[in-house]
Amino acid sequence: MASEPPPSLRTGSWFRSVVFYEIPVRSFFDSNGDGIGDLPGVTAKLDYLGRLGVGAIWLLPFYVSPWRDEGYDISDHYAIHPKLGTVDDFDRLVEEAHRRGIRVLGDYVANHVSTDHPWFQEARRDRSSPYRAWFLWSDTGTEFSRVRVIFRDEETSNWSWDEVAGQYYFHRFFASQADLNYDAPAVRAEMIRYARFWLGRGLDGFRCDAVPYLFKREGTRSQSLPEVHQFFREVRAMMDREFPGTVLVAEANQSVPETIPYFGEGREFQMVMHFPLMPNLFLALGEEDPRRIVHVLRATLPAPGGTSWAYFLRNHDEVTGEHLSEDEREMMLWLYGRDPRAVLNHGLRRRLAPMLDGDDDRVEMMTALLLGLPGAPYLYYGDEIGMGDRLDLPDRDGVRTPMQWSEGPTAGFSTASPDRLVRPIVSDPRFAPSVRSVAGEEGRDGSLLERVRALLSVRNERAETFSSPLYDALELPGSPVFGFVRPGPAEHILCLYNLSRSEVEVQARLPAWSAPHPTELLGHERRLTVTEGALRGRLPPYGFAWVGFPRVPDPPPP
Ligand code: BGC
């Protein structure tokens, strides 16, 4: 059994002050030469993550699974996929991470199970089995007709015919993932048991998959129903009682009004992934106009007391355009989806660096933006070295290729022969391991990895300010510069980001607190000056600046 984390790892709002890092275990590092990344592989790379400044890792599903959807199709919730390691390997990873001050989140996949799961297998074979009630069946496949199909490039209906059962079964995602029936009390109890099991082995929390869809009600879109909120309040209450300091993170890819309630006034998720913001960050950059970022943040900040938004640029899925208007979606595809193979479902299956034309300045600036916002930043593995993607692979596999540790045919990911790897290595010469790898970038002045590390280092040093929910947008009318201030106890930090390809003059009136002696913390501009309550300077194309202003001491009492 994994040891208890040191108490300091789970105190206060730790989740607001650390940088998270997402890891698809199969693609990260192969420790035993079978071509597949594994849990000991992650353990082996903890020192790298520590050097990068990561404070928490999020592991994609590592459970037993036929792997038709990257492990999001679980066939045993209580065991580790044999290719990924053993329970001892899991315990060791958690223990070693904790020893380095790194927390570990797992992925909690509650909405569905693999159709290979013994629960579904028994349910389909035997109508009198108690498991029959764990799934949703139909003779016609016409119920819940208002529920949208999410993987619309692959599936045409949320119902699939099952020969064995002689009925249709419901699935929100792939047909290989049967939805559980949350109206069955045994399902709810089992899913709480599943959470308790892994928290008991030392996980510091969960990123919860596909949260809005658990309950279905005829005549509705069956999204974000009150019952969903109720269920997660129960999970959270169990965690607070039995595993204090652990966190729940919601993946709720919805509109702003539907996303905010997942904070549940502090009684549901401590963190909610900021899906409404993510595509808008890319649109704003492409349009060289920050206004849409300002608008989304105005509608969504601050996160309610004690909770936090979770920001991300890229993850293991596509850049979703589901909640954009038709015009906005077209704009996004025009800006970033010129290669038609990049378009998937409602979005784009691309990694960060290729979206930004392999331009390190833009990647650094967008990463600085992510790290500056009030909330927790989530990095996607490999984005710190500017890894590319493979549009020749199916579905979202192209953004899940092996981590590039060094040069060579397997990128230092594995000792297996290249044709035995879980996925082929990136071959685009702009992003291949010969030009993008940890070994090639670590310690090299000016490399993307070192630039990203410097960002994390400043953010970690000033965690007190960056983790505060305080944020004041700066008025910069007509400017392509996005700017805001993060007020802190000892220092206020001004963050400026030039979203345009041109050098720009910045002029901003500063709030009354501004001390006249700013310190440039990081960025591309060293000539910012403050006079008479205004800041002046120039930012290069896609440049950014983080500037610290010591707090002016309060005047002595009269
Ligand atoms: C995960 C996807 C997965 C889907 C179904 C999502 O939201 O992030 O990768 O395919 O849930 O489990």
Side-chain angles (χ1 to χ4, degrees), residues 2-239:
S3 59
E4 286 283 298
S8 61
L9 282 190
R10 286 199 191 148
T11 50
S13 303
W14 65 264
F15 55 90
R16 288 216 306 248
S17 51
V18 304
V19 176
F20 289 76
Y21 186 95
E22 177 186 350
I23 302 180
V25 177
R26 291 204 311 168
S27 303
F28 200 55
F29 183 60
D30 168 20
S31 74
N32 61 0
D34 66 357
I36 298 173
D38 45 40
L39 294 172
V42 177
T43 310
K45 297 299 181 183
L46 286 171
D47 285 336
Y48 164 73
L49 296 171
R51 288 198 299 277
L52 180 57
V54 166
I57 53 177
W58 153 30
L59 304 173
L60 261 57
F62 44 71
Y63 319 103
V64 177
S65 159
W67 233 287
R68 298 189 189 104
D69 182 16
E70 196 66 16
Y72 285 98
D73 46 333
I74 301 176
S75 54
D76 183 350
H77 295 75
Y78 301 98
I80 287 169
H81 194 290
K83 291 274 183 210
L84 268 57
T86 62
V87 166
D88 284 349
D89 294 331
F90 172 84
D91 289 349
R92 181 148 177 274
L93 166 56
V94 172
E95 196 180 322
E96 289 294 320
H98 285 167
R99 213 160 58 74
R100 290 164 175 79
I102 298 176
R103 291 92 173 161
V104 185
L105 300 191
D107 215 304
Y108 182 64
V109 190
N111 180 69
H112 46 264
V113 301
S114 164
T115 49
D116 287 11
H117 198 297
W119 302 337
F120 186 79
Q121 287 298 320
E122 190 175 319
R124 75 201 302 210
R125 271 196 305 266
D126 177 3
R127 286 199 182 203
S128 64
S129 158
Y131 290 114
R132 189 76 175 184
W134 285 38
F135 299 94
L136 296 143
W137 304 98
S138 161
D139 291 328
T140 58
T142 53
E143 296 83 350
F144 308 127
S145 57
R146 290 197 57 209
V147 175
R148 70 195 164 96
V149 174
I150 295 178
F151 289 163
R152 62 177 194 176
D153 288 3
E154 294 278 338
E155 303 290 349
T156 51
S157 165
N158 289 311
W159 290 104
S160 282
W161 178 253
D162 185 54
E163 279 301 336
V164 181
Q167 277 188 307
Y168 292 91
Y169 65 94
F170 189 90
H171 53 87
R172 197 63 183 243
F173 295 94
F174 291 128
S176 56
Q177 295 160 308
D179 274 33
L180 287 163
N181 172 19
Y182 271 77
D183 284 322
V187 165
R188 300 198 298 274
E190 184 69 38
M191 288 295 114
I192 290 187
R193 189 164 88 90
Y194 154 49
R196 186 182 276 123
F197 179 85
W198 293 103
L199 293 166
R201 296 212 79 91
L203 280 185
D204 299 290
F206 287 116
R207 173 267 192 187
C208 301
D209 184 58
V211 158
Y213 312 120
L214 265 45
F215 287 82
K216 285 89 184 162
R217 294 286 175 262
E218 197 50 83
T220 73
R221 294 177 309 138
S222 298
Q223 283 180 196
S224 307
L225 294 171
E227 294 87 336
V228 170
H229 292 282
Q230 183 53 35
F231 174 73
F232 281 103
R233 280 179 194 216
E234 280 168 38
V235 177
R236 172 70 187 280
M238 177 277 286
M239 289 169 68

Side-chain angles (χ1 to χ4, degrees), residues 462 491-494 513 515 517-521 546-550:
R462 290 172 155 80
E491 174 184 59
H492 300 292
I493 300 174
L494 169 71
W513 46 258
H517 305 297
T519 335
E520 192 101 11
L521 303 176
W546 284 355
V547 187
F549 292 86

